[in-house]
Amino acid sequence: MTWLTAGLFALVFSAGPALAQKKDDKAGPAADPKQLLINGIVGATNEAMKAAPGTTVYAADPAARTVTADPSTTVAMTLTVDYLKASDNKIYAPFTVTVQPEVLGKGANLGAYVRLAPKGAVPPEAPPPPDPKAQKEKEKQDKKKKGKEAQDLAGQAVSGVEYPWEDYYDLTAVPRGPGGPLTFARPFSVAAGEYDAYVAVAVKDPAAAPGPLKIAVHKATLTVPNYWSNDFQISTVFLANKVTPLTDVPAGEAQKLKPYVIGNLEVSPAVDGKFTSAEELSVFFIIYGVTLGDDKKPDVIVDWQPFKKGPLGEAKFRGVAPQKLNSETLPPGFDVAQGHQLVGSLNVPISAFEPGDYRLAIKVTDNKSGKSLTHDVVFTVAGS
């Protein structure tokens, strides 16, 4: 369902005393609590468009239809974004958000809103009150559109203003360990370019957050890379503690619940880079812009070299066999022109590493063009 957030609906009462009302008098419809929550979140995000990057807490008063900054309240909030090539000249971006618990209210049931606006965009003017008939017609068209495009990743327009991306979610965030921040993950899809990204969250259970609604909005400037060029480059390098092959791949709305499903693989990111001896170190990325031979096959080699950090600096820690991606190692039917992905990947049991801090140096070389690029990944192996 699509919600428009043009403003709050005021209840209309008789001018006379309540006791003078007739029995058949009818009060206006009660405001929808979810709509009030969305309106407050969208209003706070509009205010954040005037602010500098960072996290700001706002107090929303649905009755007074006001949103004001609350400098007395601070909350720690982070946004981590990863990037991969999507379809239709878009870039697919799964992202992870962390929020300090107990500040906005008790509980992990959140209303969350994400907006990507062109870098430097100003807040919109207040939209006019919605036309109920027009809103119903739009909802009907949205349902038809979702039926036709069920396999496509699409946002949910709730602000009444067109943005490159916006979406609203009702979700339950997951604590990252005892006493850790609340976290959740979702995706967006936009064209390459510069954006101001906004993530707004509020505790959606009114009983868990009495008083004015507190809304935290995190603003960050993003540079979304262009993987549709012919440049030799790689996607985000994913550091994971688990990569699981799937037989059923989610799409459309289902994909939002599993944003780190890439192809037929579900990646479980190690967001803090910490591993226990029972886990597996998995590194995963996609290589773009390779030069193809007459056989339409690439010739790429991926070198991996772990370094262990110590009091006197770094030292090489064992050797790892390189990964060769060429006509001899790739499937016979592999064809980049058909959308097949060239994947760099490494899977090593963490038990092969001693406890300590590490840097994994990655070098990707395109033998046909002579080009190469490097990337480092850091991780920690906990003691037993």
Side-chain angles (χ1 to χ4, degrees), residues 149-176:
E149 301 178 1
Q151 300 304 307
D152 296 335
L153 181 67
Q156 182 181 180
V158 298
S159 69
V161 178
E162 186 174 350
Y163 290 103
W165 181 270
E166 68 171 335
D167 210 354
Y168 173 82
Y169 321 97
D170 289 313
L171 55 84
T172 301
V174 178
R176 184 177 290 173

Side-chain angles (χ1 to χ4, degrees), residues 25-353:
D25 286 347
K26 294 182 180 180
D32 179 4
K34 181 171 182 175
Q35 186 63 64
L36 294 180
L37 173 64
I38 292 174
N39 290 351
I41 287 177
V42 169
T45 304
N46 291 344
E47 289 297 309
M49 295 182 79
K50 308 172 188 176
T55 304
T56 306
V57 177
Y58 296 89
D61 186 339
R65 299 170 60 180
T66 59
V67 176
T68 57
D70 179 9
S72 65
T73 304
T74 59
V75 59
M77 193 169 171
T78 66
L79 169 66
T80 303
V81 186
D82 300 305
Y83 301 105
L84 296 136
K85 188 176 182 180
S87 59
D88 298 327
N89 289 310
K90 296 289 185 69
I91 302 300
Y92 177 74
F95 63 88
T96 301
V97 176
T98 67
V99 185
Q100 182 181 353
E102 306 296 321
V103 177
L104 304 177
K106 294 186 179 298
N109 294 327
L110 306 179
Y113 172 69
V114 176
R115 175 189 296 176
L116 266 73
K119 184 179 179 181
V122 298
E125 295 181 1
D131 179 347
K133 291 184 179 179
Q135 184 172 347
K136 287 185 178 180
E137 180 61 26
K138 187 177 187 307
E139 290 172 2
K140 187 185 299 184
Q141 295 302 320
D142 285 345
K143 287 181 180 179
K144 290 181 180 179
K145 184 178 179 182
K146 285 186 177 181
K148 293 178 181 178
E149 301 178 1
Q151 300 304 307
D152 296 335
L153 181 67
Q156 182 181 180
V158 298
S159 69
V161 178
E162 186 174 350
Y163 290 103
W165 181 270
E166 68 171 335
D167 210 354
Y168 173 82
Y169 321 97
D170 289 313
L171 55 84
T172 301
V174 178
R176 184 177 290 173
L182 299 175
T183 182
F184 64 89
R186 290 294 188 274
F188 63 80
S189 180
V190 294
E194 298 279 334
Y195 298 91
D196 287 330
Y198 302 88
V199 180
V201 296
V203 175
K204 70 176 185 179
D205 181 359
L213 180 66
K214 290 187 177 182
I215 304 165
V217 185
H218 183 79
K219 177 179 181 179
T221 299
L222 303 181
T223 300
V224 177
N226 182 13
Y227 294 138
W228 287 91
S229 72
N230 294 323
D231 295 340
F232 179 51
Q233 54 190 323
I234 61 174
S235 71
T236 294
V237 176
F238 295 88
L239 180 66
N241 50 31
K242 188 177 182 182
V243 176
T244 306
L246 301 178
T247 53
D248 296 321
V249 178
E253 289 297 306
Q255 188 176 6
K256 294 181 182 180
L257 302 179
K258 291 181 176 289
Y260 286 93
V261 171
I262 303 167
N264 68 332
L265 300 176
E266 182 171 12
V267 178
S268 301
V271 288
D272 57 3
K274 296 180 180 179
F275 294 82
T276 65
S277 58
E279 294 179 314
E280 184 173 71
L281 171 70
S282 295
V283 182
F284 175 94
F285 57 89
I286 298 176
I287 307 167
Y288 304 114
V290 296
T291 300
L292 304 178
D294 295 336
D295 58 358
K296 297 184 179 181
K297 297 290 191 298
D299 184 4
V300 173
I301 186 167
V302 183
D303 292 300
W304 320 86
Q305 180 57 64
F307 292 86
K308 186 178 182 183
K309 300 180 182 180
L312 300 179
E314 293 183 331
K316 288 185 178 181
F317 184 83
R318 300 181 182 175
V320 179
Q323 180 184 10
K324 297 180 179 180
L325 301 167
N326 53 39
S327 58
E328 295 181 0
T329 62
L330 294 169
F334 181 87
D335 188 349
V336 173
Q338 297 297 319
H340 298 165
Q341 305 280 14
L342 193 63
V343 178
S345 62
L346 175 69
N347 297 282
V348 180
I350 280 293
S351 57
F353 295 88

